[in-house]
Amino acid sequence: MVKLVSIFFGCVFALQIAAQDAKPSFEAYVESLKHEAKALEFSDAFLQQAFTDVTFYKRAIKADKNQPEFKITLDKYLKTRVPDWKVKQAVELYNTHQPLLEEIGKTYGVQPRFIVALWGNESNFGKIQGNYSIVSALSTLAYEGRREAFFKKQLFAALQILNEGHISQDKFVGSWAGAMGQSQFMPTSFLTYAEDYDKDGKKDIWSNPADVFASIANYLAREGWNDQITWGRQVRLPENFDLSLAGLNKSKMQSLAAWQTLGVRRFDGSDLPNVDLQASLIMPDDEHGRIYLVYSNFHTLMRWNRSTYFGSAVSYLADRIKKGA
Ligand SMILES: [Ca+2]
């Protein structure tokens, strides 16, 4: 029996070694990606060109494995993410681009300050877009295998963007995770939401302000944005408030009148607005941190990025722009 067991484990061990050996080299994996892409009707010549100099990015793997989960408080996050200099820049850029922003805001039904707030939070107003080759970053992450199906889908979407000629290959760069341009769209988001606002035939979210603003606005509009209302507001709770009422789940939304009856007040202690709106109560940290009542627009921001910290930073910057502009 002892012998049988050891033979069994010996076999398992041998199989594990075989499985490790079976992982292809990155180069071989890229060949298989090209092969799959060919079935999607990209030409040989295009694929040859698109994968020229494809590089394995060790750093992308490292970054993917070490994504910081927020251990800081929301207050600290907002200070880091939306420092005063960023608010100042946001207001300046809002004023610089005001006619274009207002035109696009009207066209899509999105208040311009939210376009600028997303622009600032995603790429520091276009200044930090990432320098990784998109094809290399996505090939690397697909090869790593933890989320292979997701990154392959993004890679094939990226190839489509390149093939459609929206951007030249040498400028086809972004974050290590494949987020691109001033709006930091993933390739599939680009295909769904990016806009060619100036009608030059290219959806240029890397360097054309009109395309960048319109693409951001289009994303929000398509995900249900309502420009007649804002995102929500910071509130305070009465003592002994039932904290189980908090949460982003839509089943927990209540009218402002109902929240008012429950004792929720604006942060300055005054009554909630007397308007017919549904709102969710959220506590991104806990009951000791910032507490917000948020409207449907905040739920739209959650579709852009599921982090309530991110949504809070965008909302916070949009409010500061409103005060400053
Ligand atoms: Ca364009």
Side-chain angles (χ1 to χ4, degrees):
M1 188 62 193
V2 169
K3 205 162 191 184
L4 273 177
V5 168
S6 74
I7 288 170
F8 174 74
F9 281 111
C11 284
V12 169
F13 185 61
L15 281 172
Q16 278 173 346
I17 299 243
Q20 276 169 10
D21 283 350
K23 175 135 179 144
S25 67
F26 180 66
E27 291 70 24
Y29 185 77
V30 167
E31 285 310 310
S32 75
L33 287 175
K34 277 195 215 168
H35 193 74
E36 266 187 71
K38 238 168 93 170
L40 300 171
E41 304 193 345
F42 294 109
S43 74
D44 278 338
F46 166 75
L47 289 172
Q48 215 50 46
Q49 178 63 35
F51 283 97
T52 308
D53 302 328
V54 64
T55 308
F56 178 75
Y57 284 138
K58 243 189 212 159
R59 273 189 64 200
I61 301 285
K62 219 175 141 196
D64 188 41
K65 286 187 173 153
N66 294 329
Q67 287 198 59
E69 262 319 304
F70 302 115
K71 288 181 186 92
I72 57 171
T73 64
L74 179 57
D75 271 335
K76 187 124 192 247
Y77 176 83
L78 290 176
K79 273 196 193 104
T80 323
R81 187 99 188 186
V82 194
D84 286 344
W85 64 260
K86 196 182 256 190
V87 174
K88 192 166 163 256
Q89 253 183 23
V91 172
E92 282 167 12
L93 287 163
Y94 185 105
N95 292 332
T96 307
H97 295 284
Q98 193 168 8
L100 178 63
L101 281 166
E102 282 178 358
E103 184 189 305
I104 287 172
K106 239 179 238 150
T107 306
Y108 292 89
V110 175
Q111 303 94 313
R113 62 197 173 97
F114 286 98
I115 300 174
V116 175
L118 276 163
W119 185 35
N121 271 286
E122 284 295 356
S123 67
N124 232 330
F125 314 105
K127 286 191 281 297
I128 300 174
Q129 302 183 32
N131 275 319
Y132 289 91
S133 142
I134 291 294
V135 172
S136 290
L138 294 172
S139 298
T140 297
L141 290 163
Y143 175 71
E144 180 204 17
R146 285 198 307 153
R147 289 182 285 163
E148 183 183 15
F150 172 78
F151 284 114
K152 260 163 70 168
K153 194 173 163 200
Q154 296 300 331
L155 175 65
F156 296 142
L159 291 174
Q160 188 180 331
I161 293 162
L162 199 54
N163 200 29
E164 287 175 3
H166 299 291
I167 183 89
S168 63
Q169 189 164 341
D170 59 314
K171 293 189 178 123
F172 196 36
V173 293
S175 79
W176 59 263
M180 315 177 303
Q182 303 196 22
S183 55
Q184 292 285 283
F185 279 177
M186 289 301 286
T188 52
S189 289
F190 180 102
L191 293 178
T192 310
Y193 305 108
E195 290 280 88
D196 173 19
Y197 191 77
D198 70 341
K199 303 264 187 288
D200 69 346
K202 290 175 181 163
K203 297 174 179 177
D204 180 2
I205 60 167
W206 291 266
S207 61
N208 184 310
D211 289 3
V212 171
F213 300 156
S215 297
I216 293 172
N218 187 43
Y219 190 116
L220 295 179
R222 296 266 300 274
E223 294 297 335
W225 194 266
N226 175 356
D227 68 352
Q228 299 307 302
I229 58 175
T230 183
W231 63 274
R233 68 186 63 250
Q234 194 176 359
V235 295
R236 60 178 57 208
L237 304 180
E239 273 183 54
N240 304 318
F241 184 81
D242 177 4
L243 297 175
S244 73
L245 297 173
L248 267 178
N249 193 307
K250 294 223 167 139
S251 66
K252 292 189 169 180
M253 289 184 94
Q254 302 197 49
S255 68
L256 284 179
W259 290 118
Q260 170 80 23
T261 304
L262 286 163
V264 180
R265 295 292 178 269
R266 293 184 201 235
F267 191 62
D268 67 7
S270 62
D271 286 351
L272 295 177
N274 184 16
V275 283
D276 184 17
L277 276 179
Q278 293 287 309
S280 304
L281 185 85
I282 64 164
M283 303 181 288
D285 288 328
D286 55 29
E287 71 270 29
H288 306 296
R290 287 168 181 258
I291 303 168
Y292 300 122
L293 269 182
V294 296
Y295 308 140
S296 60
N297 283 342
F298 194 87
H299 289 269
T300 296
L301 290 176
M302 290 293 95
R303 297 185 69 83
W304 182 295
N305 182 322
R306 273 179 299 177
S307 155
T308 53
Y309 274 30
F310 179 86
S312 302
V314 172
S315 304
Y316 176 75
L317 181 53
D319 279 359
R320 299 274 314 261
I321 292 169
K322 190 180 184 185
K323 278 185 199 135

